[in-house]
Amino acid sequence: DSGVTQTPKHLITATGQRVTLRCSPRSGDLSVYWYQQSLDQGLQFLIQYYNGEERAKGNILERFSAQQFPDLHSELNLSSLELGDSALYFCASSVGPDQPQHFGDGTRLSIL
Amino acid sequence: GENVEQHPSTLSVQEGDSAVIKCTYSDSASNYFPWYKQELGKGPQLIIDIRSNVGEKKDQRIAVTLNKTAKHFSLHITETQPEDSAVYFCADLNTGTASKLTFGTGTRLQVTL
């Protein structure tokens, strides 16, 4: 158990809808990262937050947004969903930006 | 990092044999190299990591070596066991400019009895 908690584990929805994925980092970790894992793209970095502020951005679509709250949990919002958004979404956390990242077990998103 | 190449994509070894997975990175400024193990239905689990000021690191049956000149790093698993069967990912990171891990494409390791 990495200590990173992601909910829900599975999410099934339709095209055009909006979903929110939630992540609770390990106790004491200030950095939260979001990654997408798909069969054709592998593991891709989406966005990072550190102590509530956005720190780095990857190839995150404009339809996607995230935030980190004062209690350090984070949410990833995906809107106007398309079939191609079906993937595993992982959250990771670390003590600081240059420290080892520990991953949760992910949310499997299926778009029908 | 910019790009990480990982080989092989699949690896089958007999129990007790050694397994070696190799990665090559392109960003000369990368200075942190973790390895992750991902089992079915789980997230990537950090198993070992190495920083650029170290050439080799060992933790029981697992070791990682880094050749900065050639921009290569490798994972070595000795005395493999069935529970080592999983997908292994290498990654790199430049801690000075960004915190995003750039992952290799993964190696599916199968340890047979």
Side-chain angles (χ1 to χ4, degrees):
Chain A
D1 182 9
S2 68
V4 178
T5 303
Q6 290 187 247
T7 57
K9 291 189 185 308
H10 303 278
L11 204 47
I12 302 173
T13 189
T15 54
Q17 296 298 304
R18 172 190 171 94
V19 297
T20 298
L21 313 184
R22 182 187 169 102
C23 169
S24 294
R26 295 188 320 161
S27 177
D29 285 359
L30 299 179
S31 277
V32 170
Y33 313 78
W34 287 96
Y35 292 85
Q36 180 192 59
Q37 185 176 39
S38 61
L39 283 174
D40 56 342
Q41 294 290 322
L43 267 162
Q44 300 281 323
F45 169 76
L46 294 177
I47 197 165
Q48 180 211 354
Y49 283 82
Y50 177 72
N51 204 19
E53 294 191 3
E54 183 183 303
R55 170 81 180 228
K57 235 174 180 177
N59 294 326
I60 187 168
L61 300 171
E62 286 191 10
R63 300 183 285 109
F64 295 2
S65 65
Q67 55 183 332
Q68 185 180 27
F69 294 87
D71 66 353
L72 300 177
H73 92 271
S74 178
E75 292 180 357
L76 178 67
N77 300 295
L78 315 176
S79 61
S80 303
L81 287 168
E82 301 175 358
L83 293 176
D85 297 329
S86 296
L88 278 163
Y89 292 85
F90 288 105
C91 170
S93 73
S94 67
V95 173
D98 63 344
Q99 296 301 308
Q101 297 179 25
H102 299 271
F103 284 72
D105 283 337
T107 293
R108 180 176 294 277
L109 177 63
S110 298
I111 313 299
L112 302 180
Chain B
E2 298 158 356
N3 184 50
V4 177
E5 292 188 3
Q6 183 172 348
H7 300 281
S9 56
T10 60
L11 180 58
S12 183
V13 300
Q14 283 200 316
E15 183 180 8
D17 287 350
S18 295
V20 180
I21 303 170
K22 298 183 179 182
C23 288
T24 304
Y25 61 98
S26 60
D27 185 354
S28 57
S30 294
N31 55 3
Y32 174 66
F33 308 91
W35 284 88
Y36 287 86
K37 174 184 180 183
Q38 187 175 20
E39 296 175 297
L40 199 60
K42 298 285 189 180
Q45 175 195 359
L46 180 66
I47 57 172
I48 196 166
D49 57 10
I50 192 168
R51 294 191 185 268
S52 58
N53 58 347
V54 176
E56 183 173 356
K57 185 176 178 181
K58 193 172 181 179
D59 182 4
Q60 299 183 330
R61 296 186 298 108
I62 295 174
V64 56
T65 59
L66 171 65
N67 182 330
K68 283 172 54 180
T69 303
K71 296 183 188 171
H72 289 168
F73 59 114
S74 300
L75 177 71
H76 304 253
I77 306 175
T78 59
E79 299 172 27
T80 54
Q81 300 167 4
E83 50 265 38
D84 294 330
S85 296
V87 180
Y88 291 81
F89 291 95
C90 62
D92 80 341
L93 185 151
N94 176 353
T95 62
T97 59
S99 303
K100 72 180 187 81
L101 289 170
T102 299
F103 283 89
T105 48
T107 296
R108 183 173 298 278
L109 174 64
Q110 180 79 39
V111 180
T112 58
L113 296 172

mmCIF file of all heavy atoms in Angstrom, chain B residues 51-79:
data_model
loop_
_atom_site.group_PDB
_atom_site.id
_atom_site.type_symbol
_atom_site.label_atom_id
_atom_site.label_comp_id
_atom_site.label_asym_id
_atom_site.label_seq_id
_atom_site.Cartn_x
_atom_site.Cartn_y
_atom_site.Cartn_z
ATOM 1 N N ARG B 51 20.293 8.299 -8.291
ATOM 2 C CA ARG B 51 20.539 9.689 -8.692
ATOM 3 C C ARG B 51 21.838 9.751 -9.470
ATOM 4 O O ARG B 51 22.679 8.849 -9.395
ATOM 5 C CB ARG B 51 20.554 10.602 -7.470
ATOM 6 C CG ARG B 51 19.180 10.668 -6.810
ATOM 7 C CD ARG B 51 19.050 11.743 -5.757
ATOM 8 N NE ARG B 51 17.735 11.652 -5.103
ATOM 9 C CZ ARG B 51 16.667 12.327 -5.500
ATOM 10 N NH1 ARG B 51 16.731 13.156 -6.529
ATOM 11 N NH2 ARG B 51 15.513 12.197 -4.861
ATOM 12 N N SER B 52 22.022 10.834 -10.201
ATOM 13 C CA SER B 52 23.113 10.885 -11.185
ATOM 14 C C SER B 52 24.499 10.924 -10.558
ATOM 15 O O SER B 52 25.491 10.739 -11.261
ATOM 16 C CB SER B 52 22.934 12.085 -12.108
ATOM 17 O OG SER B 52 22.898 13.286 -11.358
ATOM 18 N N ASN B 53 24.593 11.146 -9.255
ATOM 19 C CA ASN B 53 25.911 11.179 -8.621
ATOM 20 C C ASN B 53 26.346 9.797 -8.128
ATOM 21 O O ASN B 53 27.373 9.659 -7.458
ATOM 22 C CB ASN B 53 25.920 12.177 -7.460
ATOM 23 C CG ASN B 53 24.873 11.861 -6.416
ATOM 24 O OD1 ASN B 53 23.981 11.042 -6.640
ATOM 25 N ND2 ASN B 53 24.975 12.500 -5.267
ATOM 26 N N VAL B 54 25.556 8.781 -8.475
ATOM 27 C CA VAL B 54 25.843 7.412 -8.058
ATOM 28 C C VAL B 54 25.859 6.515 -9.285
ATOM 29 O O VAL B 54 25.049 6.689 -10.190
ATOM 30 C CB VAL B 54 24.767 6.920 -7.064
ATOM 31 C CG1 VAL B 54 24.986 5.464 -6.703
ATOM 32 C CG2 VAL B 54 24.770 7.792 -5.822
ATOM 33 N N GLY B 55 26.787 5.549 -9.328
ATOM 34 C CA GLY B 55 26.871 4.678 -10.496
ATOM 35 C C GLY B 55 26.090 3.385 -10.355
ATOM 36 O O GLY B 55 25.677 2.787 -11.347
ATOM 37 N N GLU B 56 25.886 2.952 -9.097
ATOM 38 C CA GLU B 56 25.199 1.685 -8.882
ATOM 39 C C GLU B 56 24.519 1.710 -7.517
ATOM 40 O O GLU B 56 25.015 2.308 -6.563
ATOM 41 C CB GLU B 56 26.183 0.517 -8.958
ATOM 42 C CG GLU B 56 25.539 -0.844 -8.809
ATOM 43 C CD GLU B 56 26.511 -1.995 -9.047
ATOM 44 O OE1 GLU B 56 27.674 -1.723 -9.401
ATOM 45 O OE2 GLU B 56 26.094 -3.154 -8.905
ATOM 46 N N LYS B 57 23.387 1.045 -7.433
ATOM 47 C CA LYS B 57 22.674 0.937 -6.164
ATOM 48 C C LYS B 57 22.048 -0.444 -6.103
ATOM 49 O O LYS B 57 21.523 -0.943 -7.116
ATOM 50 C CB LYS B 57 21.600 2.031 -6.080
ATOM 51 C CG LYS B 57 20.852 2.102 -4.764
ATOM 52 C CD LYS B 57 19.898 3.289 -4.791
ATOM 53 C CE LYS B 57 19.070 3.396 -3.530
ATOM 54 N NZ LYS B 57 18.141 4.557 -3.595
ATOM 55 N N LYS B 58 22.084 -1.038 -4.912
ATOM 56 C CA LYS B 58 21.580 -2.397 -4.778
ATOM 57 C C LYS B 58 20.640 -2.484 -3.582
ATOM 58 O O LYS B 58 20.858 -1.855 -2.553
ATOM 59 C CB LYS B 58 22.747 -3.364 -4.598
ATOM 60 C CG LYS B 58 22.394 -4.821 -4.764
ATOM 61 C CD LYS B 58 23.646 -5.689 -4.769
ATOM 62 C CE LYS B 58 23.286 -7.152 -4.961
ATOM 63 N NZ LYS B 58 24.470 -8.026 -4.986
ATOM 64 N N ASP B 59 19.586 -3.287 -3.736
ATOM 65 C CA ASP B 59 18.650 -3.527 -2.646
ATOM 66 C C ASP B 59 18.220 -4.976 -2.739
ATOM 67 O O ASP B 59 17.359 -5.340 -3.529
ATOM 68 C CB ASP B 59 17.439 -2.597 -2.747
ATOM 69 C CG ASP B 59 16.457 -2.780 -1.598
ATOM 70 O OD1 ASP B 59 16.742 -3.583 -0.674
ATOM 71 O OD2 ASP B 59 15.391 -2.137 -1.608
ATOM 72 N N GLN B 60 18.865 -5.830 -1.967
ATOM 73 C CA GLN B 60 18.608 -7.269 -1.958
ATOM 74 C C GLN B 60 18.797 -7.841 -3.364
ATOM 75 O O GLN B 60 19.908 -7.817 -3.875
ATOM 76 C CB GLN B 60 17.212 -7.541 -1.394
ATOM 77 C CG GLN B 60 17.082 -7.052 0.054
ATOM 78 C CD GLN B 60 15.744 -7.368 0.676
ATOM 79 O OE1 GLN B 60 14.716 -7.453 0.015
ATOM 80 N NE2 GLN B 60 15.739 -7.544 1.995
ATOM 81 N N ARG B 61 17.747 -8.359 -3.996
ATOM 82 C CA ARG B 61 17.911 -8.998 -5.304
ATOM 83 C C ARG B 61 17.837 -8.012 -6.467
ATOM 84 O O ARG B 61 17.956 -8.408 -7.628
ATOM 85 C CB ARG B 61 16.823 -10.067 -5.485
ATOM 86 C CG ARG B 61 16.886 -11.220 -4.503
ATOM 87 C CD ARG B 61 15.856 -12.301 -4.841
ATOM 88 N NE ARG B 61 14.486 -11.813 -4.764
ATOM 89 C CZ ARG B 61 13.696 -11.590 -5.802
ATOM 90 N NH1 ARG B 61 14.141 -11.783 -7.040
ATOM 91 N NH2 ARG B 61 12.451 -11.169 -5.631
ATOM 92 N N ILE B 62 17.632 -6.768 -6.175
ATOM 93 C CA ILE B 62 17.467 -5.760 -7.220
ATOM 94 C C ILE B 62 18.636 -4.788 -7.215
ATOM 95 O O ILE B 62 19.087 -4.363 -6.146
ATOM 96 C CB ILE B 62 16.151 -4.977 -7.003
ATOM 97 C CG1 ILE B 62 14.954 -5.914 -7.170
ATOM 98 C CG2 ILE B 62 16.039 -3.809 -7.970
ATOM 99 C CD1 ILE B 62 13.635 -5.268 -6.827
ATOM 100 N N ALA B 63 19.128 -4.457 -8.409
ATOM 101 C CA ALA B 63 20.200 -3.470 -8.531
ATOM 102 C C ALA B 63 19.937 -2.598 -9.743
ATOM 103 O O ALA B 63 19.294 -3.023 -10.710
ATOM 104 C CB ALA B 63 21.555 -4.154 -8.655
ATOM 105 N N VAL B 64 20.418 -1.380 -9.681
ATOM 106 C CA VAL B 64 20.316 -0.465 -10.821
ATOM 107 C C VAL B 64 21.705 0.091 -11.081
ATOM 108 O O VAL B 64 22.451 0.417 -10.141
ATOM 109 C CB VAL B 64 19.289 0.655 -10.568
ATOM 110 C CG1 VAL B 64 19.598 1.436 -9.316
ATOM 111 C CG2 VAL B 64 19.174 1.562 -11.771
ATOM 112 N N THR B 65 22.066 0.173 -12.350
ATOM 113 C CA THR B 65 23.337 0.770 -12.745
ATOM 114 C C THR B 65 23.069 1.946 -13.661
ATOM 115 O O THR B 65 22.095 1.948 -14.413
ATOM 116 C CB THR B 65 24.229 -0.244 -13.465
ATOM 117 O OG1 THR B 65 23.548 -0.735 -14.632
ATOM 118 C CG2 THR B 65 24.579 -1.415 -12.561
ATOM 119 N N LEU B 66 23.934 2.943 -13.586
ATOM 120 C CA LEU B 66 23.775 4.150 -14.389
ATOM 121 C C LEU B 66 25.088 4.484 -15.076
ATOM 122 O O LEU B 66 26.137 4.541 -14.433
ATOM 123 C CB LEU B 66 23.352 5.326 -13.500
ATOM 124 C CG LEU B 66 23.332 6.720 -14.136
ATOM 125 C CD1 LEU B 66 22.285 6.792 -15.240
ATOM 126 C CD2 LEU B 66 23.081 7.783 -13.077
ATOM 127 N N ASN B 67 25.022 4.693 -16.379
ATOM 128 C CA ASN B 67 26.173 5.140 -17.162
ATOM 129 C C ASN B 67 25.796 6.500 -17.755
ATOM 130 O O ASN B 67 25.106 6.582 -18.768
ATOM 131 C CB ASN B 67 26.489 4.138 -18.276
ATOM 132 C CG ASN B 67 27.703 4.539 -19.090
ATOM 133 O OD1 ASN B 67 28.007 5.729 -19.248
ATOM 134 N ND2 ASN B 67 28.402 3.556 -19.619
ATOM 135 N N LYS B 68 26.244 7.565 -17.095
ATOM 136 C CA LYS B 68 25.856 8.918 -17.514
ATOM 137 C C LYS B 68 26.430 9.282 -18.874
ATOM 138 O O LYS B 68 25.798 9.981 -19.662
ATOM 139 C CB LYS B 68 26.317 9.935 -16.471
ATOM 140 C CG LYS B 68 25.455 9.973 -15.232
ATOM 141 C CD LYS B 68 26.061 10.842 -14.148
ATOM 142 C CE LYS B 68 26.384 12.225 -14.614
ATOM 143 N NZ LYS B 68 26.983 13.041 -13.533
ATOM 144 N N THR B 69 27.624 8.806 -19.152
ATOM 145 C CA THR B 69 28.269 9.145 -20.424
ATOM 146 C C THR B 69 27.453 8.602 -21.598
ATOM 147 O O THR B 69 27.221 9.293 -22.585
ATOM 148 C CB THR B 69 29.692 8.583 -20.472
ATOM 149 O OG1 THR B 69 30.432 9.084 -19.355
ATOM 150 C CG2 THR B 69 30.380 8.963 -21.767
ATOM 151 N N ALA B 70 27.021 7.357 -21.449
ATOM 152 C CA ALA B 70 26.247 6.716 -22.517
ATOM 153 C C ALA B 70 24.750 6.984 -22.380
ATOM 154 O O ALA B 70 23.985 6.604 -23.263
ATOM 155 C CB ALA B 70 26.500 5.217 -22.500
ATOM 156 N N LYS B 71 24.338 7.607 -21.300
ATOM 157 C CA LYS B 71 22.923 7.862 -21.002
ATOM 158 C C LYS B 71 22.131 6.567 -20.967
ATOM 159 O O LYS B 71 21.034 6.456 -21.527
ATOM 160 C CB LYS B 71 22.322 8.840 -22.032
ATOM 161 C CG LYS B 71 22.944 10.224 -21.990
ATOM 162 C CD LYS B 71 22.253 11.151 -22.977
ATOM 163 C CE LYS B 71 22.984 12.465 -23.097
ATOM 164 N NZ LYS B 71 22.456 13.290 -24.194
ATOM 165 N N HIS B 72 22.695 5.576 -20.299
ATOM 166 C CA HIS B 72 22.050 4.282 -20.133
ATOM 167 C C HIS B 72 21.840 4.010 -18.660
ATOM 168 O O HIS B 72 22.701 4.351 -17.821
ATOM 169 C CB HIS B 72 22.938 3.148 -20.680
ATOM 170 C CG HIS B 72 23.043 3.122 -22.157
ATOM 171 N ND1 HIS B 72 23.978 2.337 -22.810
ATOM 172 C CD2 HIS B 72 22.358 3.757 -23.138
ATOM 173 C CE1 HIS B 72 23.845 2.505 -24.114
ATOM 174 N NE2 HIS B 72 22.888 3.367 -24.340
ATOM 175 N N PHE B 73 20.739 3.363 -18.305
ATOM 176 C CA PHE B 73 20.588 2.813 -16.979
ATOM 177 C C PHE B 73 19.841 1.494 -17.075
ATOM 178 O O PHE B 73 19.044 1.299 -18.002
ATOM 179 C CB PHE B 73 19.950 3.795 -15.990
ATOM 180 C CG PHE B 73 18.575 4.299 -16.350
ATOM 181 C CD1 PHE B 73 17.485 3.953 -15.566
ATOM 182 C CD2 PHE B 73 18.369 5.153 -17.425
ATOM 183 C CE1 PHE B 73 16.221 4.438 -15.868
ATOM 184 C CE2 PHE B 73 17.108 5.641 -17.734
ATOM 185 C CZ PHE B 73 16.026 5.275 -16.948
ATOM 186 N N SER B 74 20.165 0.589 -16.171
ATOM 187 C CA SER B 74 19.641 -0.773 -16.266
ATOM 188 C C SER B 74 19.152 -1.272 -14.924
ATOM 189 O O SER B 74 19.688 -0.904 -13.875
ATOM 190 C CB SER B 74 20.729 -1.724 -16.774
ATOM 191 O OG SER B 74 21.208 -1.344 -18.047
ATOM 192 N N LEU B 75 18.152 -2.151 -14.992
ATOM 193 C CA LEU B 75 17.619 -2.828 -13.809
ATOM 194 C C LEU B 75 18.055 -4.277 -13.866
ATOM 195 O O LEU B 75 17.896 -4.940 -14.901
ATOM 196 C CB LEU B 75 16.093 -2.734 -13.776
ATOM 197 C CG LEU B 75 15.394 -3.470 -12.634
ATOM 198 C CD1 LEU B 75 15.655 -2.743 -11.308
ATOM 199 C CD2 LEU B 75 13.897 -3.583 -12.885
ATOM 200 N N HIS B 76 18.603 -4.779 -12.770
ATOM 201 C CA HIS B 76 19.050 -6.161 -12.693
ATOM 202 C C HIS B 76 18.285 -6.835 -11.558
ATOM 203 O O HIS B 76 18.323 -6.342 -10.414
ATOM 204 C CB HIS B 76 20.548 -6.228 -12.396
ATOM 205 C CG HIS B 76 21.395 -5.492 -13.378
ATOM 206 N ND1 HIS B 76 22.183 -6.122 -14.318
ATOM 207 C CD2 HIS B 76 21.587 -4.158 -13.585
ATOM 208 C CE1 HIS B 76 22.821 -5.209 -15.052
ATOM 209 N NE2 HIS B 76 22.474 -4.012 -14.622
ATOM 210 N N ILE B 77 17.628 -7.943 -11.881
ATOM 211 C CA ILE B 77 16.940 -8.735 -10.863
ATOM 212 C C ILE B 77 17.602 -10.101 -10.844
ATOM 213 O O ILE B 77 17.643 -10.798 -11.868
ATOM 214 C CB ILE B 77 15.435 -8.886 -11.163
ATOM 215 C CG1 ILE B 77 14.787 -7.515 -11.363
ATOM 216 C CG2 ILE B 77 14.742 -9.640 -10.025
ATOM 217 C CD1 ILE B 77 13.322 -7.598 -11.791
ATOM 218 N N THR B 78 18.140 -10.488 -9.699
ATOM 219 C CA THR B 78 18.777 -11.799 -9.571
ATOM 220 C C THR B 78 17.839 -12.771 -8.876
ATOM 221 O O THR B 78 16.885 -12.366 -8.200
ATOM 222 C CB THR B 78 20.091 -11.702 -8.791
ATOM 223 O OG1 THR B 78 19.804 -11.163 -7.499
ATOM 224 C CG2 THR B 78 21.083 -10.790 -9.504
ATOM 225 N N GLU B 79 18.116 -14.062 -9.069
ATOM 226 C CA GLU B 79 17.328 -15.123 -8.424
ATOM 227 C C GLU B 79 15.827 -14.855 -8.563
ATOM 228 O O GLU B 79 15.090 -14.819 -7.568
ATOM 229 C CB GLU B 79 17.715 -15.232 -6.949
ATOM 230 C CG GLU B 79 19.188 -15.587 -6.751
ATOM 231 C CD GLU B 79 19.590 -15.487 -5.277
ATOM 232 O OE1 GLU B 79 18.730 -15.663 -4.397
ATOM 233 O OE2 GLU B 79 20.779 -15.232 -5.025
#
